[in-house]
Amino acid sequence: MSAPIGASTSPSLSSQAPNGQGSAATEPTDYGSHRYQLGAENRSFQLQAEEPPNTLTIVGTGDERVYYNATTNGRFEAGSAADLVDAEQPDTVSNTSAAGSTAESGVDDFNFTGQLTDLRVRGGPVRVYVNGNRIDPAAVPDTTVSPLNTTAVLTIPAGERQQEAHPQAGLDVSASLALENDRLGGRYQRLLLDERFNDIESPALRQTTVGAAAGVIERGIERLSTRQQSSIAAYNNGSLTAHEFLRDLAVIDERAGQLSLATDRVVARSQSTPGATVGGQSVSSWAQDRDLKLATLQGPVRDQIQEALNGNHTDPVASATPSGASRAVAESGEQRQYPTPLPVYVETSNRGVMLATVVDGEYYRELSLSRQRNATGDGLSDVDAIFNRVAELYPWASAHSRTTGLTGSRQSELSGITIGHSHGELTTFVNLSTGRVVAEHQRKTLGSVPTAEPVNTTKAGVRLSVERTQPTGPLHLSLATPDGEPIDGTVHVDGGPAIRTGTDGERWTVAPDGRATVVARANNETVRVRLPPQPS
């Protein structure tokens, strides 16, 4: 288990320095099913960030060559032990990455700013140290800590990203019908289960019915997991368009929700059968485990995509005379509301997907990394170890928590931790066997999120101002005259869809990861802001 790389280690965590000294590991204890509500005054954590530069040291301890690749969200420089020229296989360093190999008993080192975002090591045996503390290379934190006072975020490592795009989810009649069909089908299955239970008096037959219903749910979860991986692969290779991909994710979200409702119904019906079990677990424990697995196939952005596909997303600054399918009208009093496309920022890897959007003053973000289920790392033996791990990965959120809830069990090897904080809410799903995060959901209220200093450009009476938070986080745009009078214009971020600023001249959207170009058009003028890589 490791603290955010480049941050000091929590006193309660084991660390091993190069001299071999370190604290004793905690003895494993039995971990059952838990639900907690803890106030910030009961449990809070704060990790103090160290000043850069940090050091990364790779030590080969056997006769087999060690190969490594490392990335940071800051910058690498070669250390005194790295050999970029004369070695049989020279090491390399290039801005945010470092790579190389060490021969028998060899040592390489690098200085870096920011935080390690990925570290791959093969060969060995090997010891790896950051700032003198021995770390597990496989447990390099999955999250990126914000330079501002807000939550860290789970990220897809830059080297694994296959797609980055700004698609839109709009009114889709066929998708809407498919979603409604799934809802009706789920309701029918629950009513069918009720009817079967009502016709059975034998406890043994009721136990059999519970097992059969649980089996249907288990197979449904497997099918959804397989479908998500197939959809990601198809989108990455171009077989699915961006809109089709969003539609697929919305369908998966709805079906997962229906399976979760079915799981709850199995629990309710089993209460009339004392001692009912599923696979050796109590029915309630089994249901909790399945709900956690299903939660990683759902998310707050997918919920918003569903609303858009159903025609329920409206944009307050959209054109008053929409065209095409968006002419469908919902009226409320004298104000006419039109279904409009929902902009979504998407990143994918081979086995992961990140979605982010802004709706009605709220920022939503979700990320699922199925590959993390099979990752390696230190296991979490008890509740304290889980909270310590979350504090390492999300130091600001843990230190500023208002409420903290934990759900999980050792049999599911998954724990869901929800932290309410002053900016919104974070839910992270941690693999108990490895301490790695497999999924994350975030919601933030836009007015509460701190922003960096604005980047401004003024041309011919039009001033474009851009304020960033963190990569893939909220991005504030504004158009005004040099005197501060708001301007209604359109803005494109990295070639994405047009964003209307409206009469107040302001709009929130989602920031792309890394460099970006923001182009605004207003009053017959074009203004550009080129954003460098975001601070970390």
Side-chain angles (χ1 to χ4, degrees):
M1 199 183 306
S2 62
I5 304 303
S8 63
T9 307
S10 170
S12 64
L13 303 177
S14 173
S15 63
Q16 183 73 36
N19 61 9
Q21 300 301 312
S23 59
T26 303
E27 286 296 319
T29 58
D30 183 53
Y31 178 71
S33 178
H34 300 271
R35 290 185 184 271
Y36 294 95
Q37 290 296 324
L38 302 177
E41 69 279 6
N42 295 330
R43 184 180 298 273
S44 64
F45 306 86
Q46 180 66 56
L47 302 180
Q48 300 298 319
E50 293 197 4
E51 293 297 321
N54 303 297
T55 59
L56 169 66
T57 306
I58 299 96
V59 182
T61 60
D63 57 6
E64 182 181 350
R65 182 174 287 275
V66 174
Y67 297 88
Y68 58 86
N69 293 83
T71 61
T72 177
N73 54 21
R75 182 180 178 84
F76 268 113
E77 292 181 356
S80 59
D83 194 337
L84 308 183
V85 179
D86 298 327
E88 179 182 345
Q89 298 183 31
D91 306 319
T92 61
V93 59
S94 176
N95 197 15
T96 60
S97 64
S101 64
T102 66
E104 179 180 356
S105 301
V107 178
D108 283 348
D109 69 340
F110 300 88
N111 300 319
F112 68 95
T113 59
Q115 177 186 352
L116 285 184
T117 56
D118 197 28
L119 180 59
R120 309 290 178 88
V121 177
R122 60 184 177 87
V126 63
R127 290 182 180 177
V128 179
Y129 303 91
V130 170
N131 297 337
N133 296 315
R134 187 175 177 182
I135 67 166
D136 177 0
V140 169
D142 308 309
T143 59
T144 298
V145 176
S146 172
L148 305 171
N149 288 322
T150 191
T151 54
V153 292
L154 178 65
T155 58
I156 296 176
E160 295 184 9
R161 289 182 207 137
Q162 295 196 21
Q163 296 282 357
E164 297 178 45
H166 303 260
Q168 297 185 94
L171 177 62
D172 186 320
V173 175
S174 64
S176 182
L177 290 173
L179 292 168
E180 182 60 27
N181 184 62
D182 288 335
R183 295 185 193 102
L184 291 173
R187 185 168 181 268
Y188 171 76
Q189 292 298 328
R190 294 192 297 275
L191 291 173
L192 185 62
L193 178 62
D194 289 344
E195 184 177 333
R196 288 174 177 172
F197 256 85
N198 291 335
D199 291 340
I200 298 174
E201 294 184 1
S202 165
L205 287 178
R206 288 197 169 199
Q207 168 66 63
T208 300
T209 303
V210 167
V216 171
I217 292 170
E218 296 275 13
R219 291 189 292 275
I221 294 173
E222 288 301 317
R223 283 196 296 270
L224 286 184
S225 298
T226 300
R227 176 166 179 172
Q228 176 157 294
Q229 293 312 313
S230 298
S231 294
I232 291 172
Y235 173 59
N236 286 339
N237 67 28
S239 301
L240 278 182
T241 66
H243 180 78
E244 290 169 336
F245 181 53
L246 295 182
R247 186 175 60 191
D248 249 18
L249 294 179
V251 170
I252 291 168
D253 178 86
E254 176 59 39
R255 291 182 180 174
Q258 292 301 321
L259 287 174
S260 183
L261 291 173
T263 299
D264 293 341
R265 190 63 61 91
V266 169
V267 174
R269 297 284 73 81
S270 69
Q271 290 176 352
S272 61
T273 309
T277 60
V278 176
Q281 286 182 278
S282 69
V283 177
S284 60
S285 178
W286 167 85
Q288 186 180 97
D289 293 349
R290 273 53 198 176
D291 281 339
L292 281 169
K293 290 182 178 180
L294 287 165
T296 65
L297 296 167
Q298 299 172 275
V301 181
R302 300 185 199 207
D303 292 342
Q304 298 298 329
I305 293 171
Q306 280 201 45
E307 291 295 306
L309 295 174
N310 288 326
N312 296 330
H313 176 252
T314 58
D315 188 334
V317 297
S319 170
T321 55
S323 60
S326 60
R327 283 190 182 277
V329 177
E331 297 192 16
S332 176
E334 295 181 358
Q335 184 178 7
R336 297 163 70 86
Q337 297 290 330
Y338 299 92
T340 55
L342 174 72
V344 181
Y345 180 68
V346 179
E347 288 182 354
T348 60
S349 65
N350 184 39
R351 295 177 63 82
V353 56
M354 188 284 296
L355 307 170
T357 193
V358 169
V359 179
D360 294 334
E362 300 285 339
Y363 163 80
Y364 300 96
R365 185 182 189 274
E366 63 178 76
L367 200 156
S368 175
L369 289 175
S370 61
R371 70 173 178 81
Q372 295 288 61
R373 292 186 182 276
N374 301 317
T376 58
D378 292 337
L380 304 177
S381 58
D382 55 27
V383 174
D384 282 338
I386 295 170
F387 277 109
N388 283 338
R389 178 59 174 161
V390 172
E392 294 175 2
L393 296 170
Y394 304 94
W396 182 91
S398 296
H400 294 82
S401 63
R402 292 175 172 174
T403 58
T404 303
L406 182 150
T407 304
S409 78
R410 177 58 63 187
Q411 286 182 299
S412 70
E413 296 188 346
L414 197 64
S415 183
I417 301 92
T418 298
I419 299 175
H421 52 79
S422 58
H423 297 166
E425 187 175 87
L426 157 74
T427 300
T428 183
F429 301 88
V430 180
N431 186 329
L432 299 179
S433 297
T434 64
R436 306 298 295 271
V437 180
V438 300
E440 174 192 281
H441 301 161
Q442 295 222 27
R443 176 189 59 78
K444 294 182 181 181
T445 300
L446 294 174
S448 67
V449 181
T451 59
E453 286 296 316
V455 180
N456 303 311
T457 297
T458 301
K459 179 181 178 183
V462 178
R463 183 184 68 198
L464 169 62
S465 180
V466 182
E467 297 174 79
R468 296 186 291 181
T469 54
Q470 61 196 114
T472 73
L475 183 73
H476 185 247
L477 307 168
S478 65
L479 285 174
T481 67
D483 295 331
E485 291 297 321
I487 297 175
D488 184 358
T490 60
V491 184
H492 297 260
V493 179
D494 259 9
I499 301 168
R500 281 281 300 279
T501 58
T503 56
D504 63 359
E506 299 185 15
R507 193 72 185 278
W508 287 90
T509 186
V510 177
D513 205 331
R515 301 177 186 273
T517 300
V518 181
V519 180
R521 294 182 175 87
N523 296 345
N524 297 317
E525 293 293 341
T526 300
V527 185
R528 287 181 173 82
V529 166
R530 289 182 173 84
L531 301 173
Q534 300 210 62
S536 300

